[in-house]
Amino acid sequence: MRFRSGANFIRIVPLLLVLPAYGQHAHSIERRIFEAINQVRQENKLPALKWNAKIAEVARSHSSRMASKRFFSHDDPKFGGPDNRLSAAGIAWRLCGENIFEENGQADPVRAAVRGWMQSSGHRKNILSRGFTHTGIGVALGRDGTYTVTQMFAAF
């Protein structure tokens, strides 16, 4: 079993590489993570984040590139950090952040991602930030069963 969680970053490339065979499964996981994050926010008396499809596209692209190019970082070697990737996608943000997660072998990748992020001070700070109003989540599933997840946060 592998579990990695990237440190938070305040700084996203619309290049969607989701294979049709698992596209619905990946989207289901994205939605479940979104709902779980908003549940955590509700428990902490914070407003729910709003889903943003354009941010989700950027997050999916980053997850896909990390999985296919075999890197795990907030900084894509070609497209840069979250701020650069969001701006390149035409998203006019005023505040942005990102959580990344990778795992293989967990029975429930949604629970593993949210639990892992909440146990990390930087990721927890992003999830519980009053400054963020919107989010998008992207999941890539590797051939070996590894889930790579990117959650992006923004305020406009």
Side-chain angles (χ1 to χ4, degrees):
M1 170 171 42
R2 250 181 31 211
F3 169 89
R4 294 186 345 181
S5 186
N8 73 310
F9 210 132
I10 306 292
R11 287 211 242 174
I12 283 187
V13 169
L15 174 66
L16 184 57
L17 301 173
V18 175
L19 299 176
Y22 73 90
Q24 283 301 106
H25 179 63
H27 288 290
S28 171
I29 291 171
E30 292 166 2
R31 288 310 259 183
R32 288 176 48 219
I33 292 172
F34 173 69
E35 291 165 5
I37 293 296
N38 274 335
Q39 178 66 40
V40 168
R41 287 178 62 90
Q42 181 182 12
E43 290 166 3
N44 285 273
K45 299 183 180 13
L46 295 167
L49 294 168
K50 295 177 182 118
W51 182 263
N52 183 286
K54 288 180 92 175
I55 294 173
E57 287 179 27
V58 177
R60 285 185 197 114
S61 176
H62 189 61
S63 290
S64 180
R65 283 189 49 80
M66 284 193 295
S68 66
K69 303 295 183 188
R70 298 200 169 124
F71 70 92
F72 185 74
S73 175
H74 294 285
D75 290 311
D76 182 297
K78 184 173 181 180
F79 298 109
D83 56 342
N84 293 337
R85 291 181 269 123
L86 282 172
S87 294
I91 299 169
W93 55 273
R94 71 172 172 77
L95 178 66
C96 70
E98 176 178 81
N99 288 348
I100 59 176
F101 175 83
E102 184 178 75
E103 75 83 27
N104 183 326
Q106 292 285 326
D108 184 358
V110 173
R111 182 180 161 117
V114 175
R115 185 178 345 126
W117 286 335
M118 290 305 290
Q119 292 173 350
S120 161
S121 63
H123 296 99
R124 181 181 179 89
K125 182 177 177 184
N126 278 344
I127 290 168
L128 299 179
S129 172
R130 288 189 180 278
F132 294 130
T133 56
H134 292 76
T135 193
I137 300 164
V139 173
L141 179 59
R143 294 175 196 245
D144 65 351
T146 298
Y147 289 90
T148 305
V149 182
T150 302
Q151 179 173 19
M152 305 200 66
F153 302 88
F156 305 105

